Amino acid sequence: MDLLTKILLGLFVLFLTACQTSGTPSNLKEAEVQELPTAKGEVQIKTEKDTYSSDAERIMLLITNNSDEGLSGAFFELEKAIDGTWYEFPLKDSGPIDAIGGYQSPHATSQLTLSTEELQYELSPGSYRATFLGMASEFTVTE
């Protein structure tokens, strides 16, 4: 192999490496909304933990509803930040986790749980957020 071929091959490998984000699928769809609050009015969401390990079996979302009305018919989804942009992190069966059966009572804190077995891809280290009713709660995944 001549020197020019070796250089070009080396540059090609570097280019491919630079274009990949470790452990993250490259075909994720960009989230429609990039900026989301953690609360709306008297409703606030927060993940049970600020940090989960990549082998976590579940992710729990706590919903504090201090309003006078119950909440229902909403969806719980995960998104991952890649280079400062949020991307949808899909389920095996596609679509959000339907929380219709999970009625959120007024003046109470309730929870929604996602089994990570439902995810199309394994969790990899990085920044994630759980979204619910136009709000988001960020968390980190580590090794």
Side-chain angles (χ1 to χ4, degrees), residues 44-126:
Q44 180 179 8
I45 65 170
K46 175 91 175 96
T47 53
E48 176 188 37
K49 299 177 185 178
D50 292 329
T51 303
Y52 289 88
S53 66
S54 58
D55 63 352
E57 294 179 5
R58 65 183 171 89
I59 296 169
M60 187 178 299
L61 184 65
L62 303 174
I63 301 140
T64 302
N65 180 7
N66 289 320
S67 74
D68 293 329
E69 296 180 23
L71 306 171
S72 63
F75 297 104
F76 168 32
E77 298 177 295
L78 281 188
E79 296 176 353
K80 183 173 184 178
I82 303 170
D83 297 327
T85 302
W86 289 105
Y87 291 87
E88 295 174 5
F89 205 78
L91 298 173
K92 288 178 183 173
D93 295 328
S94 75
I97 301 154
D98 192 348
I100 290 173
Y103 177 77
Q104 314 304 315
S105 299
H107 302 287
T109 297
S110 55
Q111 62 191 33
L112 293 175
T113 302
L114 165 66
S115 168
T116 56
E117 291 180 0
E118 296 181 55
L119 297 172
Q120 185 172 349
Y121 305 106
E122 291 184 13
L123 292 174
S124 58

